[in-house]
Amino acid sequence: MQIGLIGKSNTGKSTFFKASTLANVEIANRPFVTIKPSTGTAYVAVECADKEFNVQCNPRFGYCINHLRFVPFDLIDVAGLIPGSHEGKGLGLEFLNDLNQADVLIHVIDCPGSTNEKGEPVNPGTHDPAKDILFIEYELDMWFFNIIKKGWEKFVRTIQQEKQDLVKALTKQLSGLKVPEVIIKESIKEFHINPLTWEDKDLFKLASKLRRKTKPMIIAANKIDIPESASSLERLKKEFPNYLIIPCSGDSELALREASKSNLIEYIPGSSDFKILKDLSEQQRKALNYIKENVLNKYNSTGVQEILNKAVFDLLKCIAVFPGGVNKLSDSEGRILPDCYIMPPNSTAIDFAFKLHTDLGNNFIRAINVKTKQVIGRDYILKHRDVIEIVTKK
């Protein structure tokens, strides 16, 4: 699974990325700091299943704090987009193509409106961030549209002459964008049966539908500690009711995570508070007090972890599933509940078996719900935080 960070320049994308991954990336208050995409490992937080078994897990990947399991996934930060990116302006087409494999997008906006459309610093409140949401939507839709539009008439004539199925042909054409056949089939139902009659407006409408379904987007309303953000946030929520818009402060999250890494404070990502562990300088104490008063006390967290969680579990509707055994929760090396997998919605027991290993899927007999000790079949629909044992042929 991959999440893409997008937005115009200088909105705090790179800070959000570094706060999520603690990767070493350049951060500066100027446009186009990021040119090549940055990739790193971020984490979604799941209430660990070890809690129900009164044990402490030992993750192979990620980590667990106070029975809160942090499960890794790939995060990619692409360079800032500008109006006309889909036409290649400012290397924008190259940046869009970096999002090909993303399953969900996080659009990081400058909530207080302190950067203009070019990503240049301006006085807070002088730029409308709603314009940024609209322009990013348009650039993404045009990106999909241009891929579909390219050689459309020749493409349609070819599939008609060779009597190919339109859905399968479109699926192949859009395979680079991870557009599955079932979504294309559902999306073209409302269009005229003869694709040769489709006009540009039809293709754009189709492109927009496919983009929204295959690259769903959450809005990270960044720089929420700046006073102008509060009114801007409420207005954006009313103007864009179909979007999840979450207030956040990438700067605050980065400061807390780095302080925690240095053992200055005890902090769990997503928490509403932190505990000071060592004597701090006056400057450090003032910085932490600022975060507590202007971010944590007002919004209950910095928002960064919440956005990552909601992107995976609310937008994609994924679930977390743990492999385990009824009689033994540990692996051959003694690690308890060492793995946790993020699965798509409506995944079945047999899907999970194949996720673990092809041989487990091919030799599947049944599965067992370790929490209830009930035997379940191959078509059992997995639930969030299930612990599943796979039984195979000897």
Side-chain angles (χ1 to χ4, degrees):
M1 180 180 64
Q2 185 183 87
I3 292 181
L5 287 179
I6 62 169
K8 69 181 184 183
S9 295
N10 209 18
T11 60
K13 283 192 303 90
S14 294
T15 304
F16 188 105
F17 176 83
K18 186 170 185 178
S20 303
T21 63
L22 287 185
N24 187 23
V25 297
E26 184 181 1
I27 298 171
N29 189 29
R30 65 180 189 274
F32 299 112
V33 170
T34 303
I35 297 298
K36 294 295 182 182
S38 300
T39 57
T41 300
Y43 302 85
V44 287
V46 180
E47 186 180 3
C48 192
D50 65 1
K51 204 172 182 180
E52 280 95 324
F53 299 97
N54 294 315
V55 295
Q56 176 59 60
C57 71
N58 311 104
R60 285 199 304 155
F61 307 105
Y63 56 97
C64 191
I65 306 176
N66 296 340
H67 303 292
L68 191 63
R69 185 75 165 253
F70 288 84
V71 185
F73 67 88
D74 293 331
L75 184 66
I76 179 170
D77 172 26
V78 303
L81 301 176
I82 61 173
S85 288
H86 69 276
E87 298 172 339
K89 292 182 180 178
L91 297 178
L93 188 56
E94 181 181 332
F95 301 157
L96 285 167
N97 289 335
D98 289 331
L99 297 169
N100 281 350
Q101 296 302 302
D103 298 287
V104 61
L105 305 176
I106 296 173
H107 180 187
V108 181
I109 66 169
D110 182 319
C111 190
S114 58
T115 50
N116 63 21
E117 63 277 355
K118 297 178 182 178
E120 300 165 336
V122 295
N123 291 328
T126 57
H127 178 76
D128 184 0
K131 294 179 179 178
D132 300 329
I133 296 176
L134 294 174
F135 113 72
I136 288 291
E137 276 188 337
Y138 180 73
E139 292 300 326
L140 292 171
D141 287 345
M142 286 300 297
W143 173 41
F144 268 60
F145 168 78
N146 285 337
I147 293 173
I148 296 174
K149 172 69 174 174
K150 188 177 180 180
W152 175 255
E153 292 183 5
K154 182 181 178 181
F155 167 76
V156 173
R157 287 196 183 95
T158 299
I159 65 173
Q160 289 185 334
Q161 289 168 3
E162 298 179 3
K163 297 184 179 179
Q164 295 181 27
D165 181 84
L166 174 62
V167 173
K168 292 186 182 300
L170 266 177
T171 302
K172 184 178 180 180
Q173 184 180 2
L174 299 175
S175 60
L177 295 171
K178 296 181 72 172
V179 182
E181 183 176 323
V182 63
I183 287 181
I184 292 177
K185 186 175 182 179
E186 180 66 28
S187 299
I188 66 173
K189 282 183 178 179
E190 64 184 83
F191 296 96
H192 193 278
I193 194 170
N194 182 5
L196 270 176
T197 65
W198 295 1
E199 301 175 0
D200 280 359
K201 64 179 182 181
D202 299 309
L203 295 181
F204 182 82
K205 185 177 181 181
L206 175 62
S208 182
K209 287 171 70 76
L210 294 177
R211 191 272 301 172
R212 291 169 189 271
K213 289 182 178 181
T214 60
K215 299 282 188 279
M217 190 159 61
I218 187 170
I219 308 295
N222 198 27
K223 307 181 184 179
I224 199 64
D225 55 304
I226 297 177
E228 287 79 2
S229 289
S231 59
S232 177
L233 176 66
E234 294 309 309
R235 181 173 56 80
L236 290 172
K237 285 183 175 181
K238 291 177 182 177
E239 194 168 339
F240 299 95
N242 294 327
Y243 274 121
L244 269 174
I245 303 178
I246 309 296
C248 74
S249 172
D251 281 337
S252 298
E253 181 69 12
L254 179 58
L256 292 174
R257 291 204 188 191
E258 289 188 327
S260 177
K261 186 179 179 181
S262 300
N263 295 316
L264 297 177
I265 64 171
E266 182 181 285
Y267 171 68
I268 300 174
S271 297
S272 60
D273 204 355
F274 56 85
K275 180 181 178 182
I276 296 176
L277 300 177
K278 296 182 179 180
D279 289 337
L280 303 176
S281 67
E282 183 179 351
Q283 184 179 5
Q284 289 171 327
R285 196 172 285 276
K286 285 178 70 174
L288 289 173
N289 284 338
Y290 178 87
I291 292 172
K292 188 171 178 62
E293 292 175 10
N294 294 282
V295 179
L296 299 181
N297 289 349
K298 289 183 179 180
Y299 299 99
N300 209 37
S301 79
T302 68
V304 171
Q305 189 63 54
E306 181 183 359
I307 289 165
L308 297 175
N309 292 346
K310 285 185 177 295
V312 174
F313 297 121
D314 289 22
L315 282 192
L316 293 181
K317 302 189 184 305
C318 290
I319 59 171
V321 184
F322 300 78
V326 171
N327 298 314
K328 190 178 182 183
L329 291 173
S330 58
D331 64 8
S332 59
E333 297 182 26
R335 293 173 297 209
I336 298 172
L337 292 173
D339 296 310
C340 179
Y341 291 87
I342 304 299
M343 300 291 293
N346 300 314
S347 292
T348 62
I350 189 66
D351 293 330
F352 188 56
F354 275 110
K355 176 76 172 180
L356 297 177
H357 199 283
T358 302
D359 289 345
L360 294 179
N362 290 333
N363 296 298
F364 181 94
I365 294 177
R366 63 183 178 276
I368 302 173
N369 184 323
V370 177
K371 289 182 180 179
T372 64
K373 297 181 172 57
Q374 290 182 328
V375 174
I376 55 179
R378 61 188 291 125
D379 296 326
Y380 169 83
I381 303 296
L382 298 171
K383 297 180 180 61
H384 187 50
R385 299 181 63 255
D386 268 350
V387 181
I388 302 295
E389 178 178 0
I390 304 297
V391 180
T392 61
K393 300 173 188 176
K394 299 296 185 181

